[in-house]
Amino acid sequence: EIVLTQSPATLSLSPGQRAILSCRASQRISTYLAWYQHKPGQAPRLLIYDASHRATGIPARFGGRGSGTDFTLIIGSLEPEDFAVYYCQQRRDWPITFGQGTRLEIK
Amino acid sequence: QVQLQESGPGLLKPSQTLSLTCTVSGGPINSGGYYWSWIRQQPGRGLEWLGSIYNGGSTYYHPSLRSRITISADTSRNHFSLSLTSVTAADTAVYSCARGPRFESGFSEYNWFDPWGQGVLVTVSS
């Protein structure tokens, strides 16, 4: 099983600041990684697929990079609606796995 | 536009069988090369993939649940279902269905979990 480790567990920032979230895979997964945003009571929202491609309708302030084992989600300038939990997910191999999540909270 | 909606009992007693259905609208579940999946979130924890079904037949399951889980599909009703036997309090979670993954070559957002249903809370309590 490919384990995804996200850091930090919680990130406290203010609107307008830049957020950098990390996801590390226990083995190489090429670019088979996605990022989701999850807010309470809502379905998770696909943000970034294949490590660096923005999904349809996702604002340009969201960006992803990485390949192999180390991946990063960058939110360029935080908007109030960006405070949520973010998960990475791999589909390089079964079982599909998610990271444990990073909670992005308002400072 | 594809939409998914989960349905099923919200309260179970320990040892019972959890049965949920995901009804898909806006497109047939037996086309497009998609797997259709179940994912849950236990209280205070992250997302956990449970299993996926492809074209009404081929399935993959989370190793820790393999002895208790069955995912099936009814293409005539355009829905797929989750069955989880011998539930315990640890199976209390919000259960969501999602389209995906898909394993087409190249970069595509359609290869990932999207869209998702809204999720349904299932509580296991005596």
Side-chain angles (χ1 to χ4, degrees):
Chain A
E1 175 175 326
I2 297 171
V3 176
L4 299 178
T5 303
Q6 292 187 240
S7 61
T10 303
L11 186 57
S12 299
L13 294 171
S14 300
Q17 289 191 293
R18 186 185 199 208
I20 301 175
L21 288 67
S22 295
C23 176
R24 175 165 289 177
S26 60
Q27 57 188 271
R28 296 184 65 83
I29 59 170
S30 183
T31 57
Y32 292 104
L33 187 107
W35 291 92
Y36 298 84
Q37 178 192 69
H38 195 197
K39 297 180 180 179
Q42 297 184 18
R45 178 190 185 193
L46 177 66
L47 297 176
I48 302 290
Y49 63 93
D50 296 310
S52 62
H53 299 262
R54 271 192 308 276
T56 300
I58 300 304
R61 64 181 181 274
F62 290 91
R65 63 187 187 202
S67 67
T69 61
D70 291 299
F71 301 87
T72 304
L73 174 68
I74 299 170
I75 310 174
S77 176
L78 287 166
E79 297 288 342
E81 62 267 26
D82 298 336
F83 292 91
V85 179
Y86 292 83
Y87 294 95
C88 56
Q89 175 242 319
Q90 66 81 24
R91 66 173 190 89
R92 172 62 181 83
D93 201 2
W94 302 97
I96 291 170
T97 49
F98 290 88
Q100 81 279 19
T102 290
R103 179 177 303 278
L104 179 56
E105 63 178 26
I106 298 177
K107 188 173 183 179
Chain B
Q1 181 184 0
V2 173
Q3 294 183 307
L4 295 83
Q5 178 66 57
E6 305 89 349
S7 60
L11 181 61
L12 293 173
K13 297 184 185 302
S15 80
Q16 290 186 324
T17 295
L18 180 157
S19 295
L20 297 175
T21 294
C22 180
T23 301
V24 179
S25 59
I29 64 171
N30 60 352
S31 73
Y34 295 102
Y35 280 81
W36 299 85
S37 300
W38 287 98
I39 296 152
R40 72 180 178 183
Q41 184 175 30
Q42 296 158 305
R45 304 191 66 174
L47 301 173
E48 178 184 34
W49 170 79
L50 303 180
S52 304
I53 189 166
Y54 176 75
N55 203 17
S58 175
T59 53
Y60 285 91
Y61 298 133
H62 194 290
S64 69
L65 299 172
R66 195 162 284 142
S67 64
R68 299 196 291 133
I69 189 173
T70 302
I71 296 176
S72 59
D74 185 337
T75 55
S76 66
R77 296 184 179 184
N78 217 45
H79 71 212
F80 62 105
S81 301
L82 169 69
S83 175
L84 189 65
T85 62
S86 305
V87 297
T88 69
D91 294 309
T92 293
V94 173
Y95 287 78
S96 300
C97 55
R99 185 181 70 178
R102 195 182 68 163
F103 295 95
E104 298 296 316
S105 61
F107 303 132
S108 172
E109 62 188 291
Y110 298 107
N111 288 341
W112 300 90
F113 291 130
D114 185 65
W116 298 58
Q118 276 298 110
V120 61
L121 173 63
V122 177
T123 301
V124 180
S125 174
S126 55

